[in-house]
């Protein structure tokens, strides 16, 4: 369902617990304890869905963000030197992901790779609505070679020229390692404004959890969260198994 079809702010909503009672377990043989617990969980899932809808509305209602004043430069897929506004193409919104595949890394970050693999599957659709660019400090040719290895066909890679972009965003650590960044920009005439950036830093993670945004943008974890074992506490994806 399209989240915009639900508007908790303007509709009188049926209580979540009343809605949950309409559910039916698809297989026979459930215990009373299972049905009671499942209905309680379903009520929480409905409330969570409604909260996420409100959160999305709140994000879309952000006032205009700051104008990007610094003239950051990039090299696009054709090796042309371009500015941030050029990355929009004919779109008004630009979604960027800075991935951890700088020149100091022999291979890219496995978590970045996992996420980009999922995004690749939806990129053709995403790009009907917004511009989508994957930024890295390595030359586009190097990024593209890895994309071919993974079978990615729908991602557009861009090289950041120099380290001003990554440095200003705090994406390069003292030891030279990198951090990822998901950032959304909005075109404002000939200028570019920040719309939204993931700002949940490592220090904001709850005890026993890795830092992550909400909603969790990684489909890997969203699927594992549906299972009895969950995402675990010490397992991470690899580039090869």
């Amino acid at each position: 369902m399209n989240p915009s079809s639900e508007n908790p702010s303007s509709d009188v909503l049926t209580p979540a617990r009343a809605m949950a009672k309409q559910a039916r377990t698809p297989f026979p043989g459930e215990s009373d304890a299972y049905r009671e617990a499942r209905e309680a969980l379903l009520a929480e899932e409905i409330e969570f869905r409604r909260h996420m809808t409100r959160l999305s509305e709140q994000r879309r209602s952000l006032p205009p963000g700051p104008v990007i004043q610094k003239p950051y430069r990039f090299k696009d897929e054709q090796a042309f030197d371009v500015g941030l506004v050029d990355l929009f193409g004919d779109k008004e919104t630009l979604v960027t992901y800075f991935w951890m595949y700088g020149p100091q890394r022999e291979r890219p970050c496995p978590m970045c790779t996992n996420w980009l693999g999922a995004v690749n599957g939806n990129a053709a659709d995403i790009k009907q609505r917004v511009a989508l660019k994957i930024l890295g400090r390595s030359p586009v040719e190097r990024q593209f070679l890895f994309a071919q290895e993974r079978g990615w066909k729908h991602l557009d890679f861009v090289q950041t020229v120099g380290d001003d972009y990554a440095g200003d965003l705090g994406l390069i650590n003292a030891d030279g390692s990198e951090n990822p960044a998901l950032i959304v920009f909005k075109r404002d005439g000939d200028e570019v404004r920040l719309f939204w950036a993931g700002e949940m830093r490592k220090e904001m993670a709850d005890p026993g959890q890795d830092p992550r945004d909400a909603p969790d943008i990684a489909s890997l974890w969203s699927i594992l969260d549906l299972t009895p074992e969950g995402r675990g506490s010490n397992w991470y994806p690899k580039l090869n198994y």
Side-chain angles (χ1 to χ4, degrees), residues 9-168:
S9 62
S10 62
D11 297 333
V12 177
L13 300 177
T14 302
R17 282 195 169 273
M19 295 182 73
K21 289 187 177 299
Q22 303 175 33
R24 295 290 181 271
T25 300
F27 298 102
E30 66 179 356
S31 65
D32 291 341
Y34 181 89
R35 176 45 28 201
E36 181 179 352
R38 183 65 188 98
E39 282 188 9
L41 174 61
L42 180 56
E44 290 294 326
E45 291 170 342
I46 293 169
E47 293 288 4
F48 179 71
R49 182 194 69 200
R50 290 173 174 175
H51 183 77
M52 291 303 300
T53 300
R54 293 193 298 271
L55 188 151
S56 296
E57 292 174 343
Q58 185 176 355
R59 183 184 296 111
R60 291 193 297 271
S61 298
L62 284 170
V67 173
I68 309 304
Q69 300 282 2
K70 202 161 185 177
Y72 297 112
R73 305 306 297 175
F74 306 87
K75 285 190 180 298
D76 66 11
E77 308 93 284
Q78 286 77 42
F80 292 137
D81 185 272
V82 297
L84 187 58
V85 70
D86 299 308
L87 300 181
F88 283 75
D90 61 352
K91 299 297 190 293
E92 295 299 311
T93 299
L94 167 65
V95 178
T96 67
Y97 183 74
F98 181 92
W99 68 318
M100 299 161 62
Y101 191 22
Q104 84 285 3
R105 297 186 67 108
E106 291 186 13
R107 304 283 282 169
C109 163
M111 272 306 306
C112 291
T113 299
N114 175 273
W115 187 74
L116 288 177
V119 173
N120 174 73
N122 285 278
D125 297 317
I126 293 171
K127 289 188 290 185
Q128 299 302 306
R129 300 274 297 170
V130 300
L132 174 66
K133 302 294 182 181
I134 311 305
L135 311 181
R137 292 168 64 225
S138 288
V140 171
E141 294 82 2
R142 186 170 189 247
Q143 299 183 60
F144 185 66
L145 283 174
F146 184 80
Q148 288 182 307
E149 177 185 324
R150 305 298 288 197
W152 300 341
K153 298 181 179 179
H154 303 295
L155 298 178
D156 300 325
F157 295 92
V158 177
Q159 179 187 3
T160 55
V161 176
D163 283 337
D164 281 357
Y165 182 85
D168 289 349

Side-chain angles (χ1 to χ4, degrees), residues 188-223:
D188 186 2
D190 293 331
E191 297 181 320
V192 175
R193 291 182 180 273
L194 172 69
F195 172 73
W196 176 90
E199 296 187 26
M200 290 196 187
R201 301 170 57 86
K202 183 178 181 180
E203 297 80 7
M204 301 178 190
D206 289 326
Q209 296 183 3
D210 287 332
R212 59 180 182 266
D213 289 324
D216 197 321
I217 60 174
S219 58
L220 165 70
W221 302 131
S222 297
I223 295 297

